[in-house]
């Protein structure tokens, strides 16, 4: 194998390969997937001189450890965490040179959920439908990383950025999600519509890359029965039988039979990727069509 490779020493709770995803395949039943915190992934790619579409590693909660076979430039962003090279502290949110054979450790998130590791040249696992992203729902793309796996790297596309510091939004202490009501808000009572935007929710520990689950008031239906399965979009707020809203994220299904009460503004979804269990959630209506 080429020396342009990265050996995974500690895979962590859930570390996946992610890029900009595979849009345009919903008619085949394939979700978009891709980095949940897309701005964070794009930023670490810029810091190491990668193209925006280069694949990065997305960690969950407790980070990961990797060992490059050749000297590389890396950057870690997203959820703030400790970064070390052979046990010595290294910069977070800035380019870092890692010699071949050194151990790069991305520590547990100090705030937020997901950290992103970009490596000069990008992770070049085999693309599927034009993307290298891991899709947890469909199983497309590379499997979640395991200890001992070796990932191929591309050649650096350009020099890394020369910066002292870059701005990163802090993980949310309150997650505010702007929503447009519909298309199935008429399946709910007026009291339920009021509760959605006036009552407090919190992020559930059952949340994952497929959807952000919430705990809080149950939303009462105005009509019984179920819908025929219909298309789902990124940010759709679906209400399953337990009455608690679920916000669909990158690995969401392309169809579903539970009513969608609202759709989240895409600009608010990166913050959802960093919202820890127990984070207060507020749905803010930006349009009412009833």
């Amino acid at each position: 194998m080429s020396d342009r490779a990265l050996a995974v020493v500690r895979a962590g709770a859930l570390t996946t390969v992610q890029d900009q995803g595979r849009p345009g395949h919903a008619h085949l039943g394939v979700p978009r997937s891709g980095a949940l915190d897309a701005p964070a992934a794009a930023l670490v790619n810029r810091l190491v001189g990668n193209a925006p579409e280069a694949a990065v590693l997305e960690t969950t909660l407790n980070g990961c450890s990797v060992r490059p076979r050749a000297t590389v430039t890396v950057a870690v962003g997203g959820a703030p965490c400790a970064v070390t090279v052979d046990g010595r502290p290294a910069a977070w949110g800035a380019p870092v040179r890692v010699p071949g054979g050194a151990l790069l450790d991305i520590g547990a998130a100090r705030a937020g959920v997901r950290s992103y590791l970009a490596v000069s040249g990008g992770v070049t696992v085999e693309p599927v439908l034009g993307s290298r992203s891991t899709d947890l729902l469909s199983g497309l793309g590379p499997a979640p990383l395991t200890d001992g796996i070796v990932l191929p790297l591309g050649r650096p596309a350009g020099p890394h950025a020369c910066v002292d510091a870059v701005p990163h939004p802090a993980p949310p202490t309150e997650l505010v999600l702007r929503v447009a009501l519909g298309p199935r808000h008429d399946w709910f009572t007026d009291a339920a519509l009021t509760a959605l935007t006036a009552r407090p929710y919190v992020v559930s520990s059952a949340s994952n890359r497929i959807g952000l689950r919430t705990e809080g008031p149950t939303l009462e239906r105005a009509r019984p029965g179920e819908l025929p399965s219909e298309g789902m979009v990124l940010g759709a707020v679906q209400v399953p039988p337990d009455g608690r809203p679920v916000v669909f994220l990158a690995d969401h299904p392309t169809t579903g039979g539970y009513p969608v009460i609202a759709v989240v503004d895409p600009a608010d979804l990166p913050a959802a990727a960093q919202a820890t269990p127990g984070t207060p959630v507020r749905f803010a209506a930006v349009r009412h069509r009833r």
Side-chain angles (χ1 to χ4, degrees):
M1 179 178 283
S2 166
D3 63 354
R4 295 292 303 173
L6 196 68
V8 177
V9 178
R10 179 179 64 86
L14 176 64
T15 300
T16 58
V17 178
Q18 299 295 339
D19 56 17
Q20 294 177 322
R22 45 183 70 86
H25 299 289
H27 64 294
L28 301 176
V30 177
R32 181 189 183 102
S33 195
L36 283 194
D37 188 345
L43 179 55
V44 292
N45 265 331
R46 288 199 298 272
L47 289 173
V48 301
N50 285 346
E53 63 271 17
V56 302
L57 298 187
E58 178 184 275
T59 73
T60 308
L61 293 175
N62 68 345
C64 69
S65 299
V66 296
R67 195 185 301 275
R69 292 184 169 177
T71 297
V72 295
T73 300
V74 305
V76 180
C81 60
V83 180
T84 63
V85 177
D86 279 343
R88 298 181 179 86
W92 175 90
V96 174
R97 180 179 180 274
V98 180
L103 181 67
L104 170 68
D105 184 75
I106 294 92
R110 291 171 173 160
V113 178
R114 295 173 175 90
S115 298
Y116 291 86
L117 167 65
V119 183
S120 52
V123 178
T124 55
V125 295
E126 192 68 24
V128 178
L129 292 176
S131 171
R132 296 183 166 94
S133 288
T134 299
D135 183 337
L136 297 183
L137 183 64
S138 71
L140 292 176
L145 301 191
T146 55
D147 296 356
I149 194 171
V150 177
L151 302 171
L153 299 175
R155 295 289 172 183
H160 66 78
C162 295
V163 298
D164 294 321
V166 293
H168 286 258
T173 55
E174 180 189 41
L175 182 61
V176 179
L177 300 176
R178 292 168 294 173
V179 296
L181 294 178
R184 299 298 181 186
H185 60 292
D186 57 344
W187 277 59
F188 297 89
T189 65
D190 288 336
L193 296 179
T194 299
L196 177 69
T197 56
R199 300 278 299 279
Y201 288 87
V202 298
V203 175
S204 166
S205 60
S207 301
N208 54 28
R209 282 185 48 86
I210 297 169
L212 182 141
R213 295 183 176 272
T214 65
E215 298 173 357
T218 59
L219 302 180
E220 183 183 10
R221 296 269 193 95
R223 62 177 74 177
E226 298 298 337
L227 287 162
S229 188
E230 57 186 5
M232 296 287 126
V233 299
L234 181 68
V237 183
Q238 191 183 65
V239 183
D242 68 4
R244 293 181 174 87
V246 178
V247 180
F248 277 156
L249 302 179
D251 289 355
H252 70 85
T254 55
T255 61
Y258 301 136
V260 171
I261 193 171
V263 178
V264 175
D265 188 319
D268 294 342
L269 294 177
Q274 300 296 357
T276 57
T279 299
V281 179
R282 180 162 56 90
F283 293 99
V286 294
R287 185 177 62 208
H288 199 305
R289 300 187 301 185
R290 186 163 183 172

